[in-house]
Amino acid sequence: DDFKKNFAGTHFFNPPRYLKLFENIPTPHTDPEVVKFLMHYGDLHLGKTTVLCKDTPAFIANRVGVFAIMKVVDSMNKLDLNIEEIDKLTGPVIGRPKSATFRTSDVVGLDTLIKVAGNLHEGLVNDEGRKYFKLPEVVLKLEQNKWLGDKTGQGFYKKTKNAKGETEILTLDLKTFEYKAKAKSKFATLETTKTIEKLSERFRVLLAGKDKAGEFYKDSFYGLFQYSSNRIPEIADELYKVDDAVCAGFGWELGPF
């Protein structure tokens, strides 16, 4: 009993020197003073965005953030978009890192994403969004090939040398499973937002887009918003905790709420 009251889980995001999230996960037996200490210590001494989580699968940030990635893949398949187009649509234009979706996966390591998504699919038997955590065939094929991203030299992208000896980044064609030269992606909706600096205002325009980009934003964002809404009070009692965790863990400027 003495051990139980002094025990709580903590979760850092990798690499911890860059990603600010520190998830604090007490058990039903944890002394409230221990919880209070960890919240204060994480905030003041570690300089982290410290978020109080419930002890649920993948806690807050990975539960919502990995769902967001898997929903993006689902929307991509629905709308017949490719890797480059998705990374154009899910990067700085929506307040997310330059590495967007697939480049981030390469940097973190596809094996990590596979483990988290697999654990969620296995453990969340009553989750209404469970089907999204089922790994697509293309991801399983990447795993079989050991194309796990930067750690294996290739994943969704591959660095190579061209005839001039210059470094060139090739993109995986998910239909042929061959790497090809990167192609530029252009969407009318994105062009209309170039002069809009405020992200919340840009989002309104992106969601109202009439082209494939607008359809993608509606499908992926509304899916994420619905899923996140349904996680209250399962993973957290307050909406702001979801936004804090996802923004600090994944480097987003704006969370789902």
Side-chain angles (χ1 to χ4, degrees):
D1 287 341
D2 182 59
F3 181 82
K4 281 182 187 175
K5 73 176 188 180
N6 287 297
F7 178 83
T10 60
H11 182 219
F12 293 84
F13 263 54
N14 195 37
R17 65 187 178 279
Y18 296 126
L19 293 174
K20 289 186 69 86
L21 180 60
F22 176 66
E23 290 180 313
N24 179 8
I25 312 106
T27 76
H29 309 287
T30 309
D31 185 333
E33 285 303 311
V34 171
V35 180
K36 194 173 160 186
F37 165 78
L38 285 169
M39 294 299 291
H40 176 73
Y41 188 82
D43 179 38
L44 189 70
H45 294 280
L46 300 180
K48 296 284 187 184
T49 298
T50 307
V51 179
L52 186 64
C53 303
K54 295 189 180 183
D55 191 7
T56 56
F59 313 129
I60 297 176
N62 271 336
R63 178 78 172 272
V64 174
V66 171
F67 175 87
I69 292 169
M70 303 307 274
K71 178 59 191 154
V72 160
V73 173
D74 176 69
S75 301
M76 174 178 85
N77 292 334
K78 269 189 202 171
L79 296 163
D80 195 28
L81 292 161
N82 62 39
I83 284 173
E84 288 142 329
E85 289 170 327
I86 291 298
D87 275 359
K88 176 97 173 174
L89 293 168
T90 58
V93 69
I94 57 168
R96 306 219 179 138
K98 280 183 187 173
S99 52
T101 300
F102 292 108
R103 181 74 192 107
T104 297
S105 175
D106 274 0
V107 171
V108 172
L110 192 61
D111 49 343
T112 302
L113 178 65
I114 287 167
K115 283 187 177 74
V116 177
N119 284 341
L120 287 167
H121 184 261
E122 195 178 321
L124 299 171
V125 289
N126 299 315
D127 191 295
E128 87 285 354
R130 183 178 185 237
K131 65 176 182 180
Y132 293 106
F133 295 113
K134 187 172 170 55
L135 293 165
E137 284 300 315
V138 65
V139 173
L140 293 172
K141 197 169 176 183
L142 281 162
E143 185 183 29
Q144 284 165 9
N145 289 357
K146 294 196 166 42
W147 295 355
L148 304 175
D150 289 6
K151 65 178 76 174
T152 59
Q154 63 195 91
F156 292 109
Y157 295 97
K158 179 183 180 180
K159 267 188 191 175
T160 187
K161 298 275 186 190
N162 62 19
K164 296 176 184 174
E166 300 163 335
T167 299
E168 191 180 0
I169 295 173
L170 303 177
T171 311
L172 184 66
D173 184 323
L174 295 177
K175 289 175 180 167
T176 65
F177 240 70
E178 291 175 357
Y179 288 94
K180 60 179 188 180
K182 281 180 86 172
K184 288 204 169 179
S185 309
K186 208 168 185 183
F187 296 96
T189 294
L190 296 193
E191 296 300 310
T192 63
T193 63
K194 280 186 172 176
T195 57
I196 304 172
E197 285 192 27
K198 196 174 179 187
L199 186 55
S200 55
E201 289 173 11
R202 205 184 307 147
F203 244 110
R204 288 197 189 99
V205 177
L206 295 172
L207 285 166
K210 303 295 182 193
D211 59 356
K212 209 181 256 196
E215 290 305 307
F216 167 77
Y217 287 125
K218 282 189 275 287
D219 190 66
S220 61
F221 180 73
Y222 294 156
L224 171 63
F225 184 70
Q226 180 185 44
Y227 187 76
S228 303
S229 301
N230 289 341
R231 303 284 68 78
I232 305 291
E234 180 196 348
I235 64 173
D237 290 323
E238 295 89 7
L239 305 182
Y240 78 87
K241 287 178 182 171
V242 174
D243 278 1
D244 281 356
V246 178
C247 289
F250 284 85
W252 294 5
E253 282 181 50
L254 288 179
F257 295 111

